[in-house]
Each structure stands twice: as structure tokens, then as C-alpha cells.
Amino acid sequence: MPHVGGAQNDARVNGRVVHKATGAPVAGAEVTLAPRNSHLVTDSAGRFRFVDVAPGLVALLVRRVGFAAESASYSVGPREDLDVVIELRQNVQQLDTVSVAARSDPLVPRKLAGYAERKRLGIGRFIDGDILDKEQYRQLGEVITSRTAGSRLVRSKTSSMAWVATTRKSGASLQGAVALDATDRLRGADPRACYPDIYIDGAVVYSFGLGQPLFDINSIGTNTVAAIEFYVGSARVPMQYNKTGAACGVLLIWTK
């Protein structure tokens, strides 16, 4: 995604994706760089490289069939040459050895423990994996906005990109109008909309009001998502996801 700023300050993000247990390179893994929403596939050595990266906070989301998705966020300085290693855990399918009458909890992955607890408390709006599986052929933005009250979809006028916003209008939306990325304005993003902060597997990929490019919600396949939670406004946002005040709420996406 193009950005506003001098190219002389651009950085590079270099990395390797490896098997967590063996250290072997993982070829063919899809690596997404946010908030620019660029996609690369690792080579035979598990390597990838993003160039012309705008300084600031970036996040990497790595996915590969047969492995659990992994994400990480980094602060990149001007002209920095950042090198990272991302380890993927291989999914191991185990057969049940004992039959029991009670249903097992489908939210077994450790990263979803917080999701399950917040859903139990009912402090947000939630989309479970069974719903996402049924909706896997729809774009993620449509699924989210059709199933979470208080959200709406803002579509680009020049591409297939789309962004999740809240339905409310407030002083926060005026703040966003000042900070909205110039490229997103050209694409047709509503400068008066309130766009929630977005986290993927706990790593922030967009923070409202900081001038970052908006996160294209349709850049994530619905079939790769395990659960979603949405909080309108800042009052009910969990403390660990309210680092910037979350004036327009928070959208948490948990991948498989």
C-alpha cells in the first residue's frame, strides 16, 4: 500500500519462517504485512523480504496449511533493516482414545482462552467458529458487519478493499478525519467514520487516529478465522486492548 512520507526513510523487514520443533525452513508460507496489507510467500529457505516499509508499528501474520497461524508486531525505525525469525507450530491431529457423552469445548487453543472468558461474561459481541465455518465463502467484512450490531462496512470506490467502521458519529470521527491516511481518502474511505482498533491474534495492526493506513478487512480469508469479538466505543474494551483509548472501539480477530 502506498504511504505518505519520504522514501529515503523507508525500512526493510527481512525474515525467515521455520518449524518450531525442528528449526527447518517452512516454504510456501503466506506472510502478510500490516498495516500495508502486503502479501508474500516464503521461498525454499523459508525467507521473505518486504521493502519500502514506512517507519512505525508493523505486524506480521504468517499462515501455512498444516501449521497454526502466528503473528508478531514490531516497531520499525527510519531506514532500519529489521531481521526476524518466526516459528510455526505444526498442527498434530490426534485420534480420540476414549468416547465420552459430554461435548468437548471447541475453544481448545490457548490463545482463545481469553475469548471464551469474555464471551462468558458477555461484555462484547462475538462470532464463533461454527458460524465462520458456515460463512467461509463470504468476505470477512460482510460476515462481521452482518453479525455484530454497531458495525458497518465502508467499501473502497477504486478496489475490492473494505474497512470496518462503527455506526456511531462522535468527536472521535472528527479526530479520524484529520488523521485519515491520504491514500485511503483517495480510495473512498469515509473521513467521518469511526474505525475501530484492530488486533490479529493479540497483535495490533491498526490504531485509530494515528494516521495509519486502514486495515483491509477482506485481506483475511474467512476460512482462516477461528473467532471474532467486537467492542463498540471504549467503555467495555478489555484493558489489555485499550492501549490508545480505543475511541472507536476494538475488533479482535483470532485465526486458526
Side-chain angles (χ1 to χ4, degrees):
M1 176 183 293
H3 61 272
V4 179
Q8 68 273 15
N9 289 324
D10 286 347
R12 292 190 296 184
V13 177
N14 315 297
R16 291 185 68 225
V17 179
V18 300
H19 192 296
K20 184 175 180 64
T22 67
V26 177
E30 180 187 33
V31 185
T32 301
L33 174 72
R36 200 172 75 179
N37 302 325
S38 295
H39 305 271
L40 291 177
V41 175
T42 56
D43 62 18
S44 59
R47 296 186 181 278
F48 63 88
R49 170 176 289 184
F50 290 98
V51 298
D52 301 329
V53 177
L57 186 65
V58 300
L60 295 174
L61 173 64
V62 183
R63 292 173 291 196
R64 177 72 164 87
V65 174
F67 293 84
E70 191 65 47
S71 62
S73 57
Y74 308 92
S75 181
V76 182
R79 298 181 297 278
E80 183 176 358
D81 212 347
L82 179 68
D83 292 296
V84 302
V85 176
I86 298 178
E87 298 176 320
L88 295 186
R89 297 189 319 275
Q90 190 165 12
N91 288 328
V92 179
Q93 186 173 4
Q94 296 179 335
L95 298 178
D96 294 333
T97 57
V98 179
S99 296
V100 294
R103 294 180 60 189
S104 60
D105 186 347
L107 300 176
V108 173
R110 190 184 317 170
K111 65 183 177 182
L112 288 177
Y115 170 90
E117 177 62 15
R118 290 186 291 271
K119 182 182 177 184
R120 185 184 68 80
L121 296 173
I123 60 175
R125 290 149 191 184
F126 303 87
I127 304 177
D128 285 341
D130 56 345
I131 293 175
L132 291 161
D133 287 343
K134 292 176 182 177
E135 302 271 23
Q136 63 179 302
Y137 299 110
R138 295 180 66 192
Q139 290 185 315
L140 187 60
E142 295 176 351
V143 176
I144 292 173
T145 54
S146 66
R147 291 186 174 272
T148 55
S151 67
R152 68 185 180 97
L153 195 63
V154 180
R155 296 183 184 276
S156 170
K157 296 177 181 177
T158 61
S159 70
S160 61
M161 297 177 70
W163 311 285
V164 173
T166 66
T167 55
R168 72 192 200 119
K169 299 287 185 180
S170 69
S173 59
L174 296 179
Q175 173 193 354
V178 174
L180 189 65
D181 179 77
T183 303
D184 289 331
R185 286 175 179 268
L186 293 175
R187 288 193 172 106
D190 183 356
R192 298 165 299 173
C194 231
Y195 299 97
D197 294 359
I198 299 178
Y199 291 74
I200 298 177
D201 292 336
V204 62
V205 296
Y206 172 74
S207 291
F208 179 80
L210 299 184
Q212 297 177 321
L214 295 172
F215 183 79
D216 175 17
I217 197 64
N218 289 336
S219 66
I220 301 179
T222 303
N223 63 335
T224 68
V225 179
I228 292 170
E229 47 192 304
F230 181 59
Y231 302 87
V232 180
S234 59
R236 295 194 168 213
V237 174
M239 185 177 300
Q240 65 268 40
Y241 302 113
N242 202 357
K243 298 175 183 176
T244 62
C248 293
V250 166
L251 176 66
L252 303 179
I253 300 172
W254 303 100
T255 63
K256 295 179 178 177

